[in-house]
Amino acid sequence: DDEDEEMSDNEEDGDDVDISAPLKAALDSLTHEKENSIGLGKAMIDDEASKRKRLFSGLTFFMSREVPKGYLELTCLAFGGKVGWEGSDSPISVKDPSITHHIVDRPKLPLSYDSLPKSREFVQPQWVLDCANFHFLLPLGKYGVGAELPPHLSPWVDDEEEGYKPAYAEEIECLKNGQPLPEENVEEDSDASDNKADLLEEDADGSMDEKEKESSENSGEEEEEEEEED
């Protein structure tokens, strides 16, 4: 009987233990952590979206009819730019002076473009994609109309894992960090300048040789004419 009474007392004591408080505290803690995590994630997303929107902020793009509009329009808008295209439904006219970049995909500009405002730059579509991929406004020189385009680099490739970093990727990294270009690129530019100078010098030498030859021939003809007169 005494044992039954002790067990009964223990059961009553157990019934008196309030387990709702620690459970509630644990649930509150989990909820709080989840809210903080969501808030942090949202803040990071908002920050990334803000950075993305600033890339093309203030730029107005116009796409020629040969350019695929869908993904380029989406890219330009997603990164903060304004977009127009050839068509009656375009919000921007082809002659609008606010256009900063006219996107074309042809070897040379048609004569009809001569009447357009001179304040815009004509670029190939890849410039838009490369700028978006690297979150940086790249120089336009390599993307001009008819220019041979640089290699299109995927932002999803990890160069460290691959064990190889393309030369153009190194160049872009230097531009983003405000560093001088790799020596290889400088040497290539220097070699190109030297080759051009050599070609010009050869042309000049060739021209001089031709002039000397013509002068010599003319002198010979004059001497022959004098002899005949004598």
Side-chain angles (χ1 to χ4, degrees), residues 54-129:
R54 288 198 296 268
L55 182 66
F56 291 154
S57 177
L59 303 183
T60 301
F61 299 89
F62 191 88
M63 293 179 284
S64 293
R65 64 177 177 272
E66 75 277 1
V67 174
K69 184 167 79 77
Y71 68 89
L72 276 178
E73 179 187 7
L74 180 62
T75 303
C76 292
L77 292 174
F79 285 83
K82 297 179 180 178
V83 186
W85 53 86
E86 291 189 19
S88 58
D89 58 339
S90 173
I92 301 170
S93 165
V94 66
K95 294 185 177 181
D96 194 316
S98 70
I99 294 172
T100 57
H101 295 78
H102 196 137
I103 306 172
V104 296
D105 193 11
R106 55 182 73 188
K108 62 180 181 179
L109 297 177
L111 294 176
S112 59
Y113 281 20
D114 291 344
S115 61
L116 298 176
K118 307 302 180 186
S119 56
R120 69 187 62 185
E121 299 283 355
F122 291 94
V123 296
Q124 298 188 54
Q126 187 177 320
W127 181 79
V128 175
L129 302 177

Side-chain angles (χ1 to χ4, degrees), residues 157-166 173:
V157 174
D158 189 328
D159 295 328
E160 292 184 2
E161 286 188 4
E162 295 293 326
Y164 168 74
K165 191 165 193 175
E173 186 175 345

Side-chain angles (χ1 to χ4, degrees), residues 29 44 58 62 70 80 82 137 141 158 174 180 185 190 195-196 203 217 220 227:
S29 176
M44 292 176 64
F62 191 88
K82 297 179 180 178
L137 290 180
D158 189 328
C174 289
N185 293 349
S190 177
N195 291 338
K196 185 176 181 181
D203 291 341
E217 289 176 352
E227 289 176 359

Side-chain angles (χ1 to χ4, degrees), residues 194-209:
D194 292 342
N195 291 338
K196 185 176 181 181
D198 291 341
L199 290 173
L200 291 173
E201 188 175 344
E202 288 175 4
D203 291 341
D205 291 341
S207 298
M208 290 296 293
D209 291 341

